[in-house]
Amino acid sequence: MSSARWLGLVVLLAIACFATWKVDAWRYGKQLADVRKEFADYKSDIATAATKASEDARALEQQRQRDIEKVRTDAAEQKQNDDALADLQRADGNRLREQIGQLLADKGILNTRLAERGKAIEDLVDLLAELRSEADGYAGELAAALTASRRAGFACERSYEALVRLELAR
């Protein structure tokens, strides 16, 4: 074979290799573009999901804060109502003490009358008046303590129920 033929064959072989290389490069370029597009879509989906999860968590936290604030507001209102009731009870206790004072004053008059008749019940009346006064004081203290305990218990229950509702809503 002549050198021109060999040269022609080598050129033809070089053109075939170059054409094959170009076709493969084009195919791989297309595949690479498809992979990049899929990856970009995947990243976009992840970013969207993260944003939605963040918004959901923020909304849940805001709902919890609203529920807790409502419990606080309700507890403050209940405390005001309980304080008003305690004030009324103290006023009633003061009125009863005044009545006891009046009874003790009246007891002096009664003792004078009874002494004229020869009977003395001074010790018994003093004892009853003292017992009533002490019972009134203890009742007021117990009522205030029970009211505060009741109010705290209700606030705790409402806080717990609000958290349970939110957990169940998830």
Side-chain angles (χ1 to χ4, degrees):
M1 268 206 203
S2 76
S3 65
R5 279 188 162 183
W6 277 107
L7 185 60
L9 189 60
V10 168
V11 169
L12 187 60
L13 187 58
I15 291 174
C17 286
F18 180 74
T20 303
W21 177 72
K22 279 306 240 178
V23 168
D24 283 345
W26 175 76
R27 279 192 210 148
Y28 291 137
K30 185 172 179 343
Q31 287 176 350
L32 184 60
D34 290 344
V35 167
R36 285 183 177 161
K37 183 183 179 304
E38 288 175 11
F39 182 67
D41 290 345
Y42 174 75
K43 282 183 11 181
S44 174
D45 291 345
I46 293 294
T48 302
T51 302
K52 183 179 182 324
S54 176
E55 289 171 357
D56 290 348
R58 188 174 297 116
L60 182 63
E61 182 60 28
Q62 288 172 348
Q63 181 63 40
R64 283 183 179 167
Q65 288 299 325
R66 282 192 298 272
D67 289 345
I68 288 171
E69 191 58 38
K70 182 176 181 345
V71 168
R72 284 182 185 147
T73 302
D74 291 347
E77 289 174 5
Q78 185 65 46
K79 183 181 182 323
Q80 287 176 345
N81 293 340
D82 292 344
D83 289 346
L85 181 61
D87 289 341
L88 287 174
Q89 290 172 342
R90 276 192 284 279
D92 286 345
N94 290 337
R95 194 171 48 252
L96 285 174
R97 285 185 193 88
E98 289 173 6
Q99 288 176 356
I100 290 171
Q102 184 62 40
L103 285 174
L104 290 175
D106 291 345
K107 177 193 78 146
I109 298 169
L110 182 60
N111 278 340
T112 305
R113 287 185 188 167
L114 288 175
E116 292 173 358
R117 294 185 195 168
K119 298 179 182 176
I121 60 166
E122 184 174 329
D123 292 338
L124 180 58
V125 172
D126 284 343
L127 177 63
L128 290 176
E130 184 67 29
L131 286 175
R132 183 173 178 186
S133 177
E134 286 179 16
D136 255 2
Y138 290 138
E141 290 173 18
L142 288 174
L146 289 175
T147 300
S149 175
R150 181 178 138 264
R151 183 175 50 246
F154 285 152
C156 184
E157 281 181 13
R158 287 190 301 269
S159 295
Y160 177 77
E161 289 169 359
L163 289 175
V164 167
R165 277 194 313 268
L166 286 175
E167 288 300 319
L168 291 178
R170 279 188 176 182

